[in-house]
Amino acid sequence: MKEAHAAFDAILSIPEEKYQDYITVQRNEIVSFHMKNNSFYRELAGKNTVENWNDLPVLTKKDLQKPLIKRLSKGYTPKTVFVNKTSGSSGDPFVFAKDKQAHALTWASIIHRFGWYGIDFNTSYQARFYGIPLDFIGYRKERLKDFLGQRYRFPIFDLSDAFLEKVLTHFRTKKFEYINGYTSSIVLFAKFLQTKNIVLKTICPTLKVCMVTSEMLFDDDKILLETQLGIPIVNEYGASELDLIAFQNPNGEWQVNSETLFMEILDENNQPVPNGTEGRIVITSLYNKAHPFIRYDIGDIGILDEKSTPKKPILKKLIGRTNDVALLPSGKKAPGLTFYYVTKSIIEDDGNVKEFIIRQTKIDTFEIDYVSEKELTSEQLKKIQEAIDNYLEPGLQFSYHRKNSLLRNARGKLKQFISELT
C-alpha cells in the first residue's frame, strides 16, 4: 500500500495541462500490454495492433462469462491475483481478477476520496450497512475483516422495525464517525428514524458523513437522509471489478475517478458523444494487467457535464441502477441486493448461468428466469433453496424457468430483482 499511495500521489500531482497526455499514454500502455500478454483480449480485438482508440472493441459482460483462467494475462494465475465475483445486479454475473498493484491503487483511490470528508481508514469507526456471508467460516472471516478495518456491520437481510431498533441501540453506544452502505437499506433506516422523530446525529454526535452506494439515490431520499441522519450525504458510484467510478466531492459534484480509470460516454455505434449528451458508460481500467477491462460497457447510461476536463470529469447524470425491496411474510424487508447472496450460489465460473432475473409475484412467491447452457441440476436447486432459507426465511416458494433470452427495458438494461406486489 505504501507504494500504491506514492504512485497515486504522483498521478494527483500531474497538472491539468498535461493530464490528457497522461491518459493517452496510460491507456495505450495498458492496451499494448494486453495485446502482447492476453490471448483472450487479442482474440476479442481481432488484431495485434490498433492505431485508433475508437476502433477498439467494446467489452461486454457477456464477453467475460467464460472461465477466469482463460481471461488472465500471461504470468498471472488465480493464486497470484485478487479474485472476486460481481454482484450480478445487472443480471450478467462473472468472476474477475485484479493484479496486486491495481488492487492496491483501488484502495489508494478510495482512501483519498473518503479523506475529502475527514475520514481516516485507520482510525475512523464505520457503521456498515452491507450483506454478509452466513456460513460459519465466511461469517467469521468478514467479522474479523470488519474488526481490523475499524467498522461494525449491520447485515441488511432483515430490516424489520425490531432489527432497526437494535441498530439504533448501537448508534447510542458506539462512536461511529461515518455510515457506509447500500442506499435502500440506509433509506429504510432513515424512515424508521422518522417514525421515532429521531435525528441520528443527536444520539451519535461523533457522526460526520454518510456514503451511499450500489443503488440510485433519488432527490427525495437524499433530503430524507440529510434530515434524519443530520449529516452530509455523499453519493458514490462504483463497480467491484473496477474501482470507485464517481464520488461526490465537497462541492456537490459527482467527480469521476480519472486517476485509475478512463470514462467514455458512447453512442449506439461505440463512438464518443459530446459532453452534455446521454450515452452508454464505458470504462477502461488503466492499471489492471492481470485482466483486461478496456472499453468495458458497465451497463449504465450517463451524461458527462459540459464543464468536464481530462483531470476532473464530472458525471452530470446517471440513469438506472435502482433496486426494489422484497417484502416477506414474517414482516422482514430485504433490499433487492440481498439476492446477490442468494444467487451467488448459482454463479459458477464455468459460465453456465448467463443471465437471471428474480421476480416477486406474491408475498411468499418468487420466480427466477435464467439463461444457461443447461438446466440447473437438482443439487444446484437444493443449494439455492438452502441459501434462500438462510438469507431470507424458510417457507418461501421459488420456481425456476430456463429461457432463451430475458426481457430488457428500452435501454437494454436487465434488472435483477423486480417486485410485482405494487
Side-chain angles (χ1 to χ4, degrees):
M1 281 304 302
K2 186 176 180 180
E3 293 177 3
H5 281 296
F8 193 81
D9 288 343
I11 298 169
L12 289 174
S13 70
I14 300 171
E16 179 69 64
E17 62 269 19
K18 294 184 178 180
Y19 212 80
Q20 183 58 61
D21 291 339
Y22 157 71
I23 293 291
T24 300
V25 168
Q26 197 57 46
R27 74 185 191 185
N28 288 344
E29 284 185 1
I30 199 67
V31 170
S32 177
F33 178 88
H34 285 298
M35 286 289 196
K36 293 177 182 177
N37 298 284
N38 193 288
S39 58
F40 160 75
Y41 187 73
R42 195 161 53 243
E43 181 180 342
L44 183 72
K47 55 189 81 175
N48 293 324
T49 59
V50 176
E51 295 183 5
N52 187 342
W53 176 263
N54 292 331
D55 290 338
L56 287 170
V58 171
L59 183 67
T60 69
K61 297 185 180 185
K62 282 185 177 297
D63 293 325
L64 302 175
Q65 289 181 320
K66 56 181 63 179
L68 177 63
I69 194 68
K70 294 183 178 181
R71 292 181 272 125
L72 288 176
S73 298
K74 185 167 56 180
Y76 295 95
T77 70
K79 292 185 177 181
T80 62
V81 297
F82 170 74
V83 177
N84 205 349
K85 297 175 182 178
T86 65
S87 67
S89 61
S90 64
D92 297 308
F94 61 89
V95 178
F96 67 90
K98 292 182 185 180
D99 62 77
K100 292 181 179 179
Q101 181 198 23
H103 191 45
L105 277 173
T106 293
W107 277 105
S109 167
I110 294 170
I111 290 168
H112 169 71
R113 283 166 173 78
F114 276 57
W116 290 346
Y117 297 91
I119 299 303
D120 184 333
F121 270 46
N122 293 319
T123 59
S124 298
Y125 197 27
Q126 177 191 144
R128 190 173 183 84
F129 285 77
Y130 271 69
I132 190 170
L134 296 182
D135 62 281
F136 181 80
I137 295 176
Y139 182 89
R140 293 300 172 190
K141 183 178 178 180
E142 288 303 311
R143 284 298 190 190
L144 176 61
K145 287 164 62 177
D146 287 340
F147 175 76
L148 297 174
Q150 294 291 315
R151 60 198 188 212
Y152 186 87
R153 186 181 306 228
F154 300 110
I156 48 82
F157 304 120
D158 175 10
L159 293 173
S160 62
D161 286 356
F163 175 76
L164 293 177
E165 191 68 58
K166 295 177 182 177
V167 172
L168 188 58
T169 299
H170 284 283
F171 276 94
R172 293 184 190 276
T173 57
K174 292 180 169 62
K175 294 182 178 181
F176 293 118
E177 287 191 36
Y178 67 113
I179 299 170
N180 189 18
Y182 299 154
T183 306
S184 61
S185 303
I186 301 173
V187 167
L188 283 173
F189 182 47
K191 289 179 178 178
F192 170 78
L193 293 172
Q194 188 177 45
T195 64
K196 296 276 188 178
N197 197 27
I198 292 174
V199 175
L200 196 61
K201 175 79 171 175
T202 62
I203 65 169
C204 186
T206 52
L207 276 178
K208 295 179 179 179
V209 66
C210 170
M211 285 83 170
V212 295
T213 189
S214 292
E215 300 157 315
M216 185 73 77
L217 175 62
F218 295 103
D219 291 341
D220 289 348
D221 286 339
K222 184 175 183 181
I223 293 170
L224 171 71
L225 291 176
E226 288 171 339
T227 302
Q228 297 306 140
L229 302 185
I231 51 178
I233 307 301
V234 175
N235 205 354
E236 172 188 300
Y237 172 43
S240 58
E241 64 269 33
L242 296 171
D243 197 335
L244 282 181
I245 298 172
F247 197 77
Q248 187 178 328
N249 65 28
N251 296 323
E253 301 165 317
W254 223 355
Q255 186 169 331
V256 174
N257 170 6
S258 65
E259 292 84 24
T260 70
L261 304 177
F262 171 60
M263 176 187 284
E264 298 175 87
I265 307 294
L266 303 184
D267 63 19
E268 64 275 7
N269 298 316
N270 295 337
Q271 297 302 303
V273 301
N275 288 350
T277 304
E278 179 181 302
R280 291 155 42 233
I281 296 178
V282 172
I283 306 286
T284 296
S285 179
L286 297 173
Y287 288 95
N288 192 352
K289 293 183 176 179
H291 186 292
F293 284 104
I294 298 170
R295 303 197 92 198
Y296 166 57
D297 189 338
I298 196 167
D300 291 323
I301 305 294
I303 301 173
L304 279 176
D305 200 293
E306 293 87 342
K307 64 184 178 183
S308 296
T309 68
K311 185 167 186 176
K312 189 181 177 182
I314 302 297
L315 188 60
K316 186 176 184 177
K317 188 176 182 181
L318 176 67
I319 301 166
R321 304 197 86 189
T322 61
N323 287 79
D324 291 323
V325 173
L327 305 176
L328 305 181
S330 67
K332 283 185 180 180
K333 298 175 183 177
L337 277 177
T338 301
F339 289 95
Y340 162 65
Y341 295 90
V342 175
T343 54
K344 197 175 182 184
S345 58
I346 59 172
I347 298 174
E348 304 275 343
D349 195 19
D350 62 7
N352 179 40
V353 177
K354 301 296 185 184
E355 298 178 327
F356 58 86
I357 57 173
I358 301 172
R359 292 177 287 113
Q360 183 176 17
T361 57
K362 298 178 182 178
I363 191 72
D364 64 346
T365 305
F366 298 78
E367 296 185 7
I368 296 181
D369 295 340
Y370 67 97
V371 177
S372 66
E373 296 176 1
K374 53 191 176 184
E375 292 276 357
L376 294 174
T377 66
S378 58
E379 185 61 33
Q380 286 175 310
L381 294 178
K382 179 182 177 183
K383 188 177 179 183
I384 296 169
Q385 190 62 53
E386 289 174 351
I388 290 166
D389 292 346
N390 202 17
Y391 288 108
L392 297 170
E393 62 187 49
L396 299 177
Q397 304 299 313
F398 273 68
S399 59
Y400 306 87
H401 313 281
R402 187 180 173 208
K403 305 282 188 177
N404 293 323
S405 61
L406 300 178
L407 289 175
R408 284 171 157 74
N409 65 19
R411 298 187 181 279
K413 184 97 176 191
L414 190 70
K415 192 174 183 183
Q416 185 189 6
F417 176 76
I418 301 169
S419 174
E420 298 179 355
L421 296 188
T422 56

